[in-house]
Amino acid sequence: MMVDKLLLRTALRHPGPATATVGLQVLVTMTYLPQAYALAQGLFAVVERDDDRALTAALWIAVIVAARWLLSWIQALVAGRLGADVRLSVRDEALRGVLVPEALHDPGRRDGGLRTALVDGVDGADAYVTRYLPALAQAFVLIPLVTVLLVLVHPLSGLAAGLAALGALTAPLLWKRLMRRRSDDHWDTYEALGSDLLEALRGMATLRLLGQVGRTRERMAERSRALHRATVRVMRTSLLDTALIDLAVQGGTVAAAGLALVASVGRTGVPPAELYLALMLVSEVFRPIRDLSAAWHAGYLGTSAVPALRRLGVGAQHATSTSGPAETDRAGSPSAALVLDDVSFSYPEGPAILDGVRVSFAPGAVTAVVGPSGAGKTTLLDLVLTHLSPTGGRVLLDDRPVRTSDVAVVSQRPVLFEGTVRENLLVARAHASEADLWQACAAAGIEQEVRSLPAGLDTPVASAGASLSGGQRQRIALARAVLSERPVLLADEPTSALDPASARTVTATLARLAADRIVVVVAHREESLDGVERVLELTDGRLTPLLLERSHP
C-alpha cells in the first residue's frame, strides 16, 4: 500500500469528482458479487438439469455484465475529469513555486529537472488519484464485505480467505521504507538524466565546436547506466512484494476452496448450491487485491514524484493561497507613478548592485535606462517585476507595493508558446474580444502580417515561436503587452531583432502607450534611444539623468 498524504489531499480538493471516481469504481467491482451468485445458481441448475433456472441465471449474468460496462464507461469519464482537475491544480501550484524569487535565482535548479517534475511528476499525480486511489479504496471496502458474505456461507473458508487477504495487503508494509528510499533514488537519477539531455541538446552546436560531443556522450551513457541500476533495484523490491502478495492470494484461495470442498465430502449426491457460491466468493475476496496490484505502477509513478513536487512548493501554498490582496487587482489610478524609494540590492555576501536608488517613473513619456554591462539593469527589472525583493527601500506603485500583476514585459527574447497566435495573445487577457486582439496587433505594428498568415489569428505557432521570424515574435509579444492593460510596461531592448522600419513602429507604439502607462525601456544600443526624451544611466549602483546630444538637420 502506498498512501501519500500530499496526493490524498490533492484529490480531496476536488471532492465531487474524487468521490464519484472512487464510488463508481467500488460499484463496478461490486457487480461481480451478484454475478457470482448467478453463476453459482446457473452451475447448480445445469447439474440439476433445470433448464429454466439455468436460462434465468444466464439472463441475469448478461444484464449484470451490461450494467458493469455502463458503470465502467461512466467511471472512466469521471476519472478523466478528476485527472484533468488534479493536473491543473498541481501544475499551477508547481509553477507558482517555480516563479518565486528564490527559485528564479537558484543556481542549483536545472531546467531538465523542472521539466521532469512539471510533466512526468504531474502525470504521476494524475495516475495516482485516478487509478491507484480508487483501487485502494475498493480493497478496503470490498474485502471485508465479501469476507463477511463468505463467512455467512462457509465460516472456515471465509476465515481462511480473510486472513490471507489481510496478509496480502500488509506484506508490502514490510518493505515500505526501502521502497521509498529506492524510488527517491530512481527519481533523482531520472531527473539528472533529463537535465543532462536537455542541456546537451540546447548546447549541441557549442559542444561540437569545442569537441566535447564524445565526452558528453560518455556522461549520458553513465547517467543511463545509473538509471538502469536504480530501476533494477526498484524492480527487485517490487518483485519481492509481488511474490509475497501472490503467495498470500494463491495460498488463501487454495486453503479457502479446499476447506469448502472438504466440508462437502461427506455429503452424497449433487453438491449444494452453497458450495458453488462459496467457491465463487473465494475468488471475489481476492479480486480487489489483484486490481490493486495492477494499479501498482500508477501508484509508484505518483509517490515517486512527490519529493520533486514538494521541492516546487506543491502542497505548501494551499493553506496561504487566499491570504493577501488578489493578484489580479490592478492599480486604480491611470496617473499612478512607479517609485523606487531608496532601493538597495545585493546578493548574499556580494557587493551592492543598487545603492539607494531614488527615482520616479510616470506616464507621459518613455524612460530609458542605460548603463554598461553588469551595471544592474536586469536586477532593476527583476525588482520591479517582484522577482527579487530589495535588501533596502521599497518599490511602490500608487503608494502601495508593486505586484507582478501590475507589470507587462516585452523581453529581448520574447517567450511564445506552442499553440496559435490567438492563444499566445489571450495569455495576457483571457476574455479579450476579436476586436481587442486586432487592435493590439495594430498597435504593435503586426496586424497586416497576422492577417496575411494562412489562418490569421488561428495560425499555429511552433514551440518557442520557431515558426515566426524574430521581428514577428517581438511584435506579438508587444501586442500581448498592449492587450494586458497593465499600468507598467517594461521593455528590454525591444527593437533588438527588428529591421529599421519595424523598429520605428515599435518605438512609436511605446510612445503612444506612454501617454497613459508607465513605459520603461532598458537599452543596450544607441539606436534604441530614438524618440526617447528621458534617459537615466545606471552606474555604481545609482541612476542619474543623462543628457543626449541629438543631431539636427
Side-chain angles (χ1 to χ4, degrees):
M1 290 185 294
M2 295 177 285
V3 180
D4 184 88
K5 293 180 180 178
L6 171 62
L7 297 179
L8 183 58
R9 286 197 304 268
T10 301
L12 293 178
R13 289 181 204 164
H14 313 279
T19 303
T21 299
V22 172
L24 286 168
Q25 181 65 48
V26 172
L27 284 177
V28 167
T29 308
M30 283 186 68
T31 60
Y32 286 100
L33 298 181
Q35 180 177 304
Y37 179 80
L39 277 171
Q41 294 299 317
L43 289 173
F44 184 74
V46 169
V47 173
E48 286 274 304
R49 299 181 183 277
D50 188 341
D51 295 340
D52 291 339
R53 192 174 178 181
L55 179 60
T56 301
L59 290 175
W60 272 113
I61 292 171
V63 170
I64 293 167
V65 169
R68 182 164 58 247
W69 178 86
L70 179 61
L71 287 172
S72 299
W73 178 71
I74 297 172
Q75 196 272 345
L77 292 179
V78 176
R81 177 186 169 187
L82 174 63
D85 290 345
V86 166
R87 286 196 306 273
L88 286 174
S89 63
V90 171
R91 188 170 287 130
D92 284 348
E93 280 195 68
L95 287 172
R96 287 196 294 272
V98 169
L99 295 175
V100 298
E102 295 79 7
L104 287 170
H105 294 82
D106 181 2
R109 180 161 284 179
R110 305 174 70 186
D111 288 347
L114 290 177
R115 180 262 173 208
T116 302
L118 290 172
V119 177
D120 298 338
V122 172
D123 288 345
D126 173 4
Y128 182 90
V129 301
T130 59
R131 294 181 56 195
Y132 186 78
L133 278 184
L136 186 62
Q138 79 171 14
F140 279 105
V141 171
L142 292 182
I143 289 176
L145 174 62
V146 182
T147 300
V148 169
L149 292 177
L150 182 56
V151 166
L152 294 176
V153 175
H154 197 288
L156 288 179
S157 293
L159 181 61
L163 290 174
L166 180 63
L169 285 176
T170 56
L173 297 178
L174 299 174
W175 313 98
K176 183 178 180 180
R177 290 186 178 179
L178 178 62
M179 191 66 182
R180 175 78 269 174
R181 185 167 62 251
R182 290 188 171 180
S183 66
D184 288 348
D185 292 342
H186 180 266
W187 183 268
D188 291 342
T189 308
Y190 181 52
E191 268 195 350
L193 177 60
S195 297
D196 282 353
L197 180 60
L198 180 60
E199 290 163 8
L201 289 173
R202 286 178 174 174
M204 187 59 67
T206 302
L207 291 173
R208 291 185 63 185
L209 288 173
L210 297 175
Q212 295 296 311
V213 173
R215 196 174 197 179
T216 302
R217 187 187 302 115
E218 291 174 4
R219 187 170 68 250
M220 292 294 178
E222 177 54 36
R223 289 288 196 195
S224 298
R225 288 190 290 269
L227 179 60
H228 173 73
R229 291 192 294 270
T231 303
V232 169
R233 287 193 293 269
V234 170
M235 291 180 64
R236 285 173 180 167
T237 308
S238 173
L239 287 173
L240 183 58
D241 278 351
T242 302
L244 292 174
I245 292 171
D246 284 349
L247 179 63
V249 170
Q250 301 302 330
T253 301
V254 170
L259 287 171
L261 290 171
V262 168
S264 66
V265 167
R267 301 181 182 183
T268 59
V270 178
E274 289 79 5
L275 173 61
Y276 292 119
L277 181 57
L279 295 176
M280 294 295 174
L281 289 178
V282 166
S283 177
E284 296 308 319
V285 169
F286 298 103
R287 184 183 296 277
I289 296 175
R290 292 193 294 269
D291 290 347
L292 187 61
S293 297
W296 179 89
H297 184 65
Y300 171 75
L301 281 177
T303 55
S304 63
V306 165
L309 294 174
R310 286 188 185 278
R311 287 194 293 270
L312 296 183
V314 175
Q317 304 169 24
H318 183 67
T320 59
S321 61
T322 58
S323 62
E327 182 66 16
T328 56
D329 291 346
R330 303 218 175 105
S333 173
S335 60
L338 175 68
V339 176
L340 275 65
D341 182 18
D342 197 24
V343 170
S344 299
F345 180 82
S346 60
Y347 290 102
E349 300 180 2
I353 298 175
L354 299 179
D355 184 14
V357 172
R358 293 180 181 274
V359 67
S360 176
F361 303 95
V366 177
T367 300
V369 176
V370 301
S373 178
K377 299 186 295 296
T378 300
T379 299
L380 183 67
L381 291 180
D382 285 343
L383 287 167
V384 176
L385 283 165
T386 72
H387 290 172
L388 292 175
S389 298
T391 52
R394 301 176 298 169
V395 182
L396 304 174
L397 179 67
D398 200 16
D399 297 326
R400 62 160 174 81
V402 69
R403 294 192 292 262
T404 304
S405 58
D406 295 320
V407 187
V409 181
V410 180
S411 64
Q412 189 173 359
R413 297 178 180 85
V415 176
L416 297 185
F417 306 97
E418 186 172 358
T420 64
V421 175
R422 183 191 304 275
E423 289 169 343
N424 273 275
L425 293 174
L426 290 176
V427 168
R429 184 157 34 116
H431 302 294
S433 66
E434 187 92 359
D436 292 333
L437 299 180
W438 285 119
Q439 287 174 8
C441 289
I446 198 172
E447 179 186 6
Q448 294 307 316
E449 289 185 60
V450 173
R451 289 190 184 276
S452 66
L453 293 174
L457 289 170
D458 296 310
T459 299
V461 175
S463 178
S467 57
L468 302 172
S469 69
Q472 289 172 327
R473 291 197 295 269
Q474 198 85 30
R475 282 174 287 160
I476 288 176
L478 180 57
R480 188 166 59 193
V482 171
L483 195 65
S484 71
E485 296 183 338
R486 295 184 175 186
V488 180
L489 192 154
L490 301 181
D492 184 7
E493 197 65 61
T495 60
S496 60
L498 305 182
D499 57 72
S502 298
R504 286 192 295 271
T505 300
V506 169
T507 301
T509 298
L510 293 175
R512 287 197 302 272
L513 293 174
D516 56 7
R517 299 192 201 187
I518 299 164
V519 178
V520 181
V521 175
V522 171
H524 305 274
R525 303 184 306 168
E526 185 176 344
E527 53 267 35
S528 300
L529 302 178
D530 291 343
V532 176
E533 296 296 331
R534 185 189 186 205
V535 179
L536 302 176
E537 185 176 23
L538 181 59
T539 53
D540 298 327
R542 293 181 178 274
L543 279 174
T544 56
L546 182 66
L547 297 177
L548 295 180
E549 294 184 3
R550 300 185 183 276
S551 59
H552 298 279

